[in-house]
Amino acid sequence: MLNLLQILIFLILGLSLQRLLRSPDKLAAWLNQLLISVILPALALRYLPRVELSLQLLLPVSVAYISFYLSWFLFSQVGKWRGWPRSVTGSLIITSGLANTSFVGIPVLQALYGADAVKIALLIDQAGSFILVSTLAIIVASIYAAGKKRKRDIAGKILRFPPFIFFNLALVLNLVGWTATGWVDELLAWIALALTPVALTAVGLQIKINLEAISNRFLWYGLGYKLLLIPLVTWIFLGPLVGVEGLMLKVPVMEMAMAPMITGSIIAISHDLEPKLASLLVGIGIPLSFLTLGGWYYFLEFGG
């Protein structure tokens, strides 16, 4: 459970630095750039070449894509109907559509279900969440960031996005059977270890927790979708509709019930899609998810 403790420590560190520093926004911007340019590419190179590509991945991995596409459809339609600012719609699609399937999800599932659950969780994270955050999240961010000028440059933005470049390189390495070894693997592992501290410190630097922020209806729309609706949709799809049982049902439901993905919020923030909202969705979502996860665990064990 050390990973869970890290989450709390570095979130608090970011909140503390926000009060101590004269220009916390500059540090947050620098940390966001470090994540996008160095840490996420290192994660792709270390983990994606090790993923076993097979048809058996499709069912548990598909729930990550269902979550993102449903978020895109739901928030875009409601946003048009209610006249929301495009930046709000884009922030909700990205941040609520992506689950924290690794840095919260994996340690929680390991504690609840053991090593067999971690194997399934890794597939959902690497073949689902990581691909989505490297591709579709960038498309959505580009569409909603600043209107027509950015829309014409969507392809260029994706092709220049460092995680996407290294994601494709990692896929090629997977196909040719190469995985990092020796000092290269050690270096990538050290860089990857920085993800949770850097990302959560950056999020903490940008969270503005006050009565006005907590009463923001968009925050609760996003968390309602992430913590309640999409886990329910996942359970209905895999359980009653498809007939999946055991860990192949429990792990995907619990993964989709995790708080919003930190990296998704970083992408929303870097595209100026309501940075305060994106930060709050993670900063409030992570501690709140521990309560809702307890409810989902009880439901899956005794009521589902």
Side-chain angles (χ1 to χ4, degrees), residues 17 23 40 54 90 103 126 138 141 172 187 194 198 234 246:
L17 288 174
S23 302
L40 292 180
S54 70
F103 301 102
Q126 295 298 306
I138 305 305
V172 172
L187 176 62
V198 172
T234 301

Side-chain angles (χ1 to χ4, degrees), residues 20-173:
L20 295 173
L21 298 177
R22 290 185 177 180
S23 302
D25 292 343
K26 291 183 179 179
L27 177 59
W30 184 84
L31 292 177
N32 290 344
Q33 194 58 47
L34 179 64
L35 280 164
I36 289 171
S37 300
V38 178
I39 297 175
L40 292 180
L43 279 172
L45 289 178
R46 184 159 197 264
Y47 292 111
L48 286 180
R50 291 177 165 86
V51 174
E52 294 183 17
L53 302 176
S54 70
L55 292 177
Q56 293 179 342
L57 297 177
L58 294 180
L59 200 56
V61 169
S62 68
V63 298
Y65 293 87
I66 291 171
S67 174
F68 191 85
Y69 279 115
L70 182 58
S71 174
W72 194 346
F73 173 78
L74 182 63
F75 288 121
S76 65
Q77 293 303 309
V78 175
K80 289 179 182 178
W81 173 48
R82 301 294 295 176
W84 295 350
R86 290 178 60 81
S87 58
V88 168
T89 301
S91 186
L92 286 172
I93 291 170
I94 296 168
T95 312
S96 300
L98 294 166
N100 199 320
T101 50
S102 55
F103 301 102
V104 176
I106 290 174
V108 167
L109 290 169
Q110 184 175 37
L112 294 176
Y113 299 119
D116 288 339
V118 173
K119 295 176 184 178
I120 301 171
L122 279 170
L123 295 179
I124 296 171
D125 181 63
Q126 295 298 306
S129 300
F130 195 90
I131 292 175
L132 284 165
V133 81
S134 300
T135 54
L136 287 178
I138 305 305
I139 293 174
V140 172
S142 300
I143 290 173
Y144 284 91
K148 294 181 179 179
K149 184 177 181 180
R150 289 208 182 190
K151 286 182 182 179
R152 293 196 298 268
D153 197 37
I154 289 174
K157 288 177 68 67
I158 295 173
L159 293 174
R160 293 192 300 270
F161 187 59
F164 181 74
I165 294 170
F166 283 90
F167 160 73
N168 284 286
L169 175 59
L171 281 184
V172 172
L173 296 175

